[in-house]
Amino acid sequence: MATTIPPFKTFLIAAALLRVGLVLYSEWHDARSVVKYTDIDYRVFSDAARFTLNPNPSIGNVAQGPLARYFGLGDPYHRATYRYTPLLAVLLTPNEFLHPSFGKYLFAACDILASIIIYKLLSKLILPWASARRRPDTKASEATEGSTSRSTQWADKATLLTAIHLFNPMVFAISTRGSSESVLSLFVLCVLYFSLTDHWDLAAIFLGLSTHWKIYPFIYGFACLNVICSVTPRNSWSLLESLGRMINPRTVRFAVLSAGTFVLLGFAMYSIWGYPFVYESYLYHLQRRDHRHNFSPYFYLTYLTYPSTDGSNELPPPTTLEAIVRSPLVSFVPQMGLSLLAGFLFARRKQDLPFTWFVQTFVFVLFNKVCTSQYFLWYLLFLPLLIPCLSLSVRKTVAVVGVWTGTQALWLSEAYKLEFLGEDVFYGLWVRGLIYVLGNAWVLVQILASYDRPQP
């Protein structure tokens, strides 16, 4: 393999050049086409950065926190639909004084850094663990040290697996169009890296940072706590036993550091930007009702019960049961229940974390009240790290990939009629959304069944 596979640096340089080329192309394309390459979110980020950098009391663009007067910053939430941490707006302020595409280059760089972490995890930890699993007569320590030839094989395999992330069209297209998902992906991979290398304090701090950036990574904390508390082998397992072992000095330390980082960052943001930060970054998402079409099976109910601006579709007052069913919080029950349960069920050792986080994220996205293609990146991030621990036949692999892509294609073919042809296909789109859920549930079952636990 060493004579046929280029070194990892070659892949890295090619991936970086690809991203730079796409950013340059985006500038050329956007200047000449009505349909923009740049994501609308990037314009929102850029506007928020401009408002942050240029406060203007005459239009109400001033930070509203108790300590705002000491910083002289504007309010990123003055830009409608900006519902992210103010750190993102601050991070993109060079868009104003350096270059409008600074943020795209930053997001692309995060892609590259994330790939480096993936490569290191694969070559130094995951592939040696997988090798030890397939060679039960070899101790894990011997496998980790390995011979020169074995290390070369692991490096080559790690290069190929990392290329799945580097050259995934969804990954490089989303970052070069200006989505900030790559920043969060980098933070999450830092949590995973420090967890697998037993630097739990750093893992806790990065988990707090990740959760501040976007709330969903908090689900990984439950898996981490389950691993930390599993200091002795278990001959049997039960949920009650796991919960009883959860509280000890190590888990308390991890929880305090993680929650403390989240709280301190939140307090700092509130001190400068006040209640708008709390509402737009967190509270809004709890009561959000998005009636726009998306993969979620919840969208159709929201669409049918969404009040119109002119009052033409006013519905009678709902009963208590109807009010509960229509509540945006209802979708959290299966979503959180399954995600957290997966953290308790599968995270028995640190070697299980990539698989556990994949399952947790897959379930979280599948049952989210709003689900778009961009969210798929949240679990595809772990795919290169998971593949060495899967035993799927070629036939089953083709079937899994076919169902995953086929259900999306089926939904997109109907969504095209709605989005571009203006046809009334909401019901058909909802049915295809249900097919998408069933198909993806089948995919997850196949992955669960094919997972081989790596040896420590």
Side-chain angles (χ1 to χ4, degrees):
M1 293 181 67
T3 59
T4 59
I5 298 178
F8 177 64
K9 290 183 179 179
T10 303
F11 282 82
L12 214 57
I13 292 171
L17 291 175
L18 171 64
R19 285 160 171 79
V20 170
L22 285 173
V23 174
L24 294 173
Y25 167 77
S26 71
E27 298 173 359
W28 179 88
H29 177 94
D30 290 353
R32 291 164 175 79
S33 176
V34 176
V35 180
K36 307 300 182 183
Y37 178 88
T38 300
D39 196 307
I40 185 63
D41 283 347
Y42 188 71
R43 301 175 194 173
V44 174
F45 302 158
S46 299
D47 290 345
R50 184 172 65 256
F51 285 129
T52 301
L53 203 59
N54 303 291
N56 188 346
S58 65
I59 61 173
N61 174 32
V62 289
Q64 301 179 31
L67 303 180
R69 64 182 181 276
Y70 298 109
F71 294 89
L73 295 173
D75 182 11
Y77 303 107
H78 190 73
R79 195 336 176 159
T81 73
Y82 182 79
R83 298 187 172 95
Y84 308 88
T85 170
L87 290 180
L88 177 58
V90 172
L91 198 62
L92 296 192
T93 51
N95 282 11
E96 283 296 293
F97 56 81
L98 191 60
H99 194 280
S101 293
F102 169 83
K104 294 180 183 179
Y105 288 112
L106 176 65
F107 299 154
C110 288
D111 266 350
I112 301 300
L113 292 174
S115 298
I116 294 174
I117 295 177
I118 291 173
Y119 175 80
K120 287 185 176 296
L121 285 172
L122 284 166
S123 60
K124 301 299 183 183
L125 296 175
I126 293 176
L127 287 172
W129 288 340
S131 177
R133 179 203 65 209
R134 293 186 173 91
R135 298 177 53 175
D137 58 323
T138 303
K139 295 182 180 179
S141 58
E142 296 175 2
T144 302
E145 295 172 2
S147 63
T148 303
S149 60
R150 191 179 302 137
S151 298
T152 301
Q153 291 179 357
W154 291 336
D156 290 337
K157 291 179 181 178
T159 297
L160 292 176
L161 290 169
T162 306
I164 295 175
H165 179 82
L166 278 171
F167 299 104
N168 184 334
M170 290 183 65
V171 173
F172 63 69
I174 285 178
S175 63
T176 57
R177 291 184 67 216
S179 170
S180 63
E181 295 296 338
S182 60
V183 180
L184 180 62
S185 296
L186 179 61
F187 291 158
V188 168
L189 283 173
C190 286
V191 181
L192 182 60
Y193 179 83
F194 290 125
S195 298
L196 296 183
T197 54
D198 290 321
H199 294 88
W200 290 104
D201 288 352
L202 289 173
I205 291 171
F206 270 93
L207 180 61
L209 174 59
S210 302
T211 306
H212 169 80
W213 196 268
K214 188 167 286 188
I215 199 70
Y216 85 86
F218 88 91
I219 62 177
Y220 305 142
F222 290 85
C224 289
L225 290 173
N226 204 27
V227 169
I228 294 172
C229 75
S230 301
V231 293
T232 57
R234 305 183 208 177
N235 296 323
S236 61
W237 183 92
S238 70
L239 182 59
L240 291 177
E241 177 192 354
S242 180
L243 292 173
R245 298 157 62 105
M246 189 65 72
I247 301 177
N248 61 64
R250 297 179 68 206
T251 56
V252 170
R253 180 185 179 94
F254 182 90
V256 168
L257 279 173
S258 180
T261 302
F262 175 79
V263 171
L264 285 175
L265 284 171
F267 179 77
M269 298 301 103
Y270 176 81
S271 297
I272 301 174
W273 287 282
Y275 179 74
F277 153 70
V278 177
Y279 176 78
E280 299 291 353
S281 297
Y282 303 118
L283 300 182
Y284 168 81
H285 297 283
L286 293 177
Q287 60 186 17
R288 175 184 180 185
R289 299 187 69 213
D290 195 335
H291 66 290
R292 293 171 296 179
H293 59 284
N294 61 84
F295 289 97
S296 172
Y298 300 105
F299 103 89
Y300 191 53
L301 175 63
T302 305
Y303 167 75
L304 292 177
T305 59
Y306 200 82
S308 64
T309 55
D310 59 3
S312 59
N313 69 334
E314 284 296 328
L315 299 172
T319 64
T320 302
L321 179 60
E322 289 174 336
I324 293 174
V325 171
R326 294 179 191 177
S327 172
L329 298 177
V330 170
S331 63
F332 285 113
V333 175
Q335 180 187 40
M336 292 300 174
L338 292 173
S339 295
L340 300 183
L341 182 61
F344 285 116
L345 285 175
F346 303 123
R348 307 189 190 183
R349 300 171 304 174
K350 65 180 182 181
Q351 290 87 347
D352 296 318
L353 284 179
F355 169 73
T356 303
W357 288 13
F358 175 87
V359 174
Q360 287 184 285
T361 314
F362 197 104
V363 170
F364 187 93
V365 172
L366 185 61
F367 292 101
N368 198 28
K369 61 182 177 181
V370 178
C371 180
T372 65
S373 299
Q374 185 170 302
Y375 295 175
F376 300 159
L377 290 182
W378 296 355
Y379 59 79
L380 290 177
L381 176 69
F382 303 114
L383 189 59
L385 305 173
L386 181 61
I387 288 176
C389 299
L390 297 181
S391 298
L392 281 171
S393 65
V394 174
R395 182 176 180 180
K396 185 59 69 68
T397 300
V398 171
V400 166
V401 174
V403 171
W404 187 79
T405 56
T407 53
Q408 293 177 48
L410 181 67
W411 184 92
L412 289 169
S413 65
E414 195 75 353
Y416 172 83
K417 298 177 184 178
L418 174 63
E419 187 72 22
F420 293 97
L421 305 181
E423 298 181 10
D424 184 5
V425 293
F426 284 97
Y427 180 77
L429 198 59
W430 174 66
V431 172
R432 283 159 176 76
L434 296 179
I435 296 174
Y436 156 81
V437 171
L438 293 175
N440 276 255
W442 180 85
V443 167
L444 183 57
V445 168
Q446 304 312 307
I447 293 175
L448 289 169
S450 66
Y451 177 65
D452 293 330
R453 296 172 98 47
Q455 299 297 319

